[in-house]
Amino acid sequence: MQFAKYIAQAMEQVMSRTKMPAIFAPTQPTFQPQAAFVGVSESASDWNYTVRLYATPTSVPLNDPSIGQLSAASFMGMFSGKYYGSHEAAMKELASAFYVQKVGPASSIDTGGVMKQYSTGQQYNTGGSTNYQLPQDVIEWQMGRWKIDVFGAPSIDFINEAKQVDSFIQTHALPPTDGRILINPHATGNPVTQIGWVFGNELFECDCPSPTMTQILDALRMAVSMREYDSDKVTP
């Protein structure tokens, strides 16, 4: 595995401005965006950083002003990290930022009872500032120390989507720590896959647009490829 050149350039900038004890970034060959050129913007302060990736028509320098003029469709995803005062504080933020409101009794999906299907009632929280007022179902299951929630309108396609996610994470190792995955329903105006995990006192996150199953799997590939820059560690 290795850090792509455009990732390494961004992380060198981040390292020069942050005091975080560890910073993470995606690695090749697991994560390779499907774009002829990848434009990168980064921001960092003492205790947090964010790196955003865009499909660009030509090669552009890091933080090039033209990136701000790209269409929303050019955005391919982002990854970030934030330092908290303690491991407990980072865990509390993980639990609250990746919270899903569930109502009603759970019903088992035909996978040996590991997956549970709930209703979300009239709203669910995706970790951001928006609560979508859409009744949806959510399939939730645990994989080691990870909790996964996949949303959607009740249907065979929705269940199969959750099973495809499960198949992927059965064969690709997520960071061996506490983490959560939220995959938003396609019915929303901004479908996105959000993945977060705690590393010591830090919370790391990957967010990727995910209107299709291919893009959902791209988000998961980013998460499983994440390594500490530039030691390649995945555990504290």
Side-chain angles (χ1 to χ4, degrees), residues 147-167:
K147 181 181 290 184
I148 303 97
D149 289 290
V150 177
F151 304 88
S155 69
I156 293 298
D157 287 342
F158 164 57
I159 293 172
N160 286 340
E161 181 178 277
K163 289 181 177 180
Q164 288 183 68
V165 171
D166 184 57
S167 294

Side-chain angles (χ1 to χ4, degrees), residues 83-119:
Y83 179 84
Y84 290 82
S86 66
H87 176 74
E88 291 73 22
M91 288 291 293
K92 183 178 180 180
E93 180 63 21
L94 175 71
S96 62
F98 290 79
Y99 169 75
V100 180
Q101 180 192 62
K102 296 181 291 292
V103 299
S107 58
S108 294
I109 308 299
D110 59 348
T111 56
V114 176
M115 289 183 173
K116 300 291 184 179
Q117 185 168 356
Y118 301 82
S119 169

Side-chain angles (χ1 to χ4, degrees), residues 102-141:
K102 296 181 291 292
V103 299
S107 58
S108 294
I109 308 299
D110 59 348
T111 56
V114 176
M115 289 183 173
K116 300 291 184 179
Q117 185 168 356
Y118 301 82
S119 169
T120 60
Q122 291 301 310
Q123 75 174 13
Y124 58 85
N125 187 317
T126 63
S129 59
T130 302
N131 288 322
Y132 293 101
Q133 301 295 322
L134 292 171
Q136 297 283 334
D137 275 14
V138 57
I139 294 178
E140 180 176 273
W141 70 102

